[in-house]
């Protein structure tokens, strides 16, 4: 997918994206986003204990993950980066009074980020949009301090995912206005991701968290997804469509 198309798509989606974070998660898409944030905060607080910690959020969207993080860890600093100028404008306007948060427009697939100082880098809901994830991994590696954490989400090929893609394809055939090409996130197998990380990152853990296809009316089954997550979330299975990957930067040889 062309990066410009993705930027344009998200430029027009700022308010709609932010609305995912308000109200109750009674829809599987919204549940995925809220659950992802919850899990990421849990993992960060579990693994990082320093008073001062620097975080990067690549593809930060409307900044809802790092803003929540700073509320709960006020001594931490976070930098939100996003391809979409409108997303960054929104974040700069919304969080201008928050000195621990900074936002800049940035494309992870283009420019290196040779900071070498971040304790953790997040990339949530971004992976499937990247034209060259291997390149992004190099850039993320350069941004982290040795042993720094990389936490990112992927969509996996799975039965729920296949049902979602099938449903969307049929809907698109009949309704032109539903053509959300930019959102067609590419999905990845864990084995493929592990291969891309090898030599730079060590895999620490994975968390599966969405066991339903994204179909209308499916919200009634959210309890089923939560049940499956409690049972299986800590091991990768072919039954879930969304996964968080936690990896650690290997020190340079
Ligand atoms: C699905 S949204 C996720 C937003 C946020 N991470 C969250 O969880 O609320 C994906 C975001 O990634 C951004 N994005 C896509 N490709 C990117 C790239 N190459 N570099 C930086 N950001 C990118 C989009 O502009 C969009 O804001």
């Amino acid at each position: 997918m062309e990066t410009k198309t993705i930027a344009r798509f998200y430029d027009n989606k700022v308010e709609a994206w932010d609305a995912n974070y308000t109200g109750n998660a009674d829809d599987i898409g919204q549940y995925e986003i809220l659950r992802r944030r919850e899990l990421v905060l849990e993992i960060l607080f579990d693994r990082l204990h320093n008073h001062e910690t620097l975080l990067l959020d690549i593809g930060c969207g409307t900044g809802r993950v790092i803003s929540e993080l700073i509320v709960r860890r006020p001594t931490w600093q976070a930098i939100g980066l996003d391809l979409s100028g409108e997303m960054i404008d929104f974040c700069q306007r919304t969080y201008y009074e928050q000195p621990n948060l900074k936002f800049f427009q940035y494309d992870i697939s283009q420019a290196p980020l040779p900071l070498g100082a971040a304790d953790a880098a997040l990339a949530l809901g971004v992976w499937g949009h990247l034209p060259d994830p291997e390149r992004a991994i190099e850039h993320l590696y350069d941004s982290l301090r040795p042993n720094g954490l990389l936490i990112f989400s992927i969509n996996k090929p799975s039965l729920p995912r296949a049902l979602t893609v099938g449903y969307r394809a049929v809907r698109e055939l009949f309704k032109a206005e539903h053509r959300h090409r930019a959102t067609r996130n590419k999905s990845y197998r864990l084995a493929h991701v592990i291969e891309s990380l090898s030599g730079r990152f060590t895999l620490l853990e994975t968390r599966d968290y969405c066991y339903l296809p994204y179909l209308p009316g499916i919200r009634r089954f959210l309890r089923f997804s939560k049940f499956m997550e409690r049972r299986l979330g800590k091991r990768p299975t072919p039954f879930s469509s969304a996964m968080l990957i936690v990896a650690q930067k290997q020190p340079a040889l």
Side-chain angles (χ1 to χ4, degrees), residues 3 6-11 13 17-18 20-21 32-34 36-37 57-66 81-85 87-88 104-110 122-131 136 153 183 185:
T3 322
I6 295 166
R8 214 174 312 124
F9 175 82
Y10 281 106
D11 276 347
K13 216 177 175 346
W17 183 262
D18 201 53
N20 284 314
Y21 285 94
E32 177 187 343
I33 292 159
L34 292 173
R36 183 167 73 199
R37 175 170 72 171
D57 187 4
I58 315 293
C60 62
T62 56
R64 289 281 190 160
V65 176
I66 47 177
L81 301 158
D82 202 286
L83 181 67
S84 151
M87 288 287 192
I88 292 301
F104 303 98
Q105 190 172 7
Y106 168 74
D107 178 355
I108 183 71
S109 49
Q110 289 298 318
L122 313 176
L124 310 173
V126 183
W127 221 249
H129 293 314
L130 300 177
S153 65
T183 56
N185 264 343

Side-chain angles (χ1 to χ4, degrees), residues 173-190:
L173 275 180
F174 294 101
K175 294 189 177 168
E177 72 271 22
H178 280 135
R179 284 194 183 152
H180 290 326
R181 285 181 195 286
T183 56
R184 239 190 252 149
N185 264 343
K186 209 170 156 198
S187 47
Y188 288 95
R189 289 180 198 288
L190 179 61

